[in-house]
Amino acid sequence: MKKVTYKSNINCGSCVAKVTPVLNQLEVVKSWHVDTDNPAKLLTIESEDEVTDEVKAALRQVGFKIEKQ
């Protein structure tokens, strides 16, 4: 299982509510968490494979972006 952390623009609980169905829908994402208290708004994803491109595309569709730490 890989754990990757990304900087994001997921800033608040409302943003987390918007990305929840998107991230939960991705079969490759086994678990995820956003630390909105961290200034970098860290999104941590656990998956079995590299998922960066798939997650980036899915989040972009709902108005958010991520970049690798």
Side-chain angles (χ1 to χ4, degrees):
M1 192 72 68
K2 294 180 179 181
K3 183 184 272 189
V4 182
T5 302
Y6 304 90
K7 288 175 56 175
S8 79
N9 64 343
I10 304 168
N11 295 317
C12 62
S14 178
C15 298
V16 172
K18 286 181 184 175
V19 302
T20 294
V22 172
L23 292 173
N24 288 346
Q25 204 170 8
L26 296 173
E27 290 183 22
V28 295
V29 175
K30 299 303 177 199
S31 68
W32 62 274
H33 172 76
V34 180
D35 183 357
T36 56
D37 292 332
N38 186 300
K41 311 302 179 195
L42 299 177
L43 168 64
T44 302
I45 293 177
E46 284 192 57
S47 66
E48 293 183 13
D49 299 309
E50 179 67 41
V51 297
T52 302
D53 291 340
E54 190 171 354
V55 172
K56 271 185 178 181
L59 291 177
R60 192 177 319 118
Q61 289 180 354
V62 290
F64 295 96
K65 60 183 177 184
I66 59 172
E67 60 185 73
K68 267 191 174 173
Q69 280 280 133

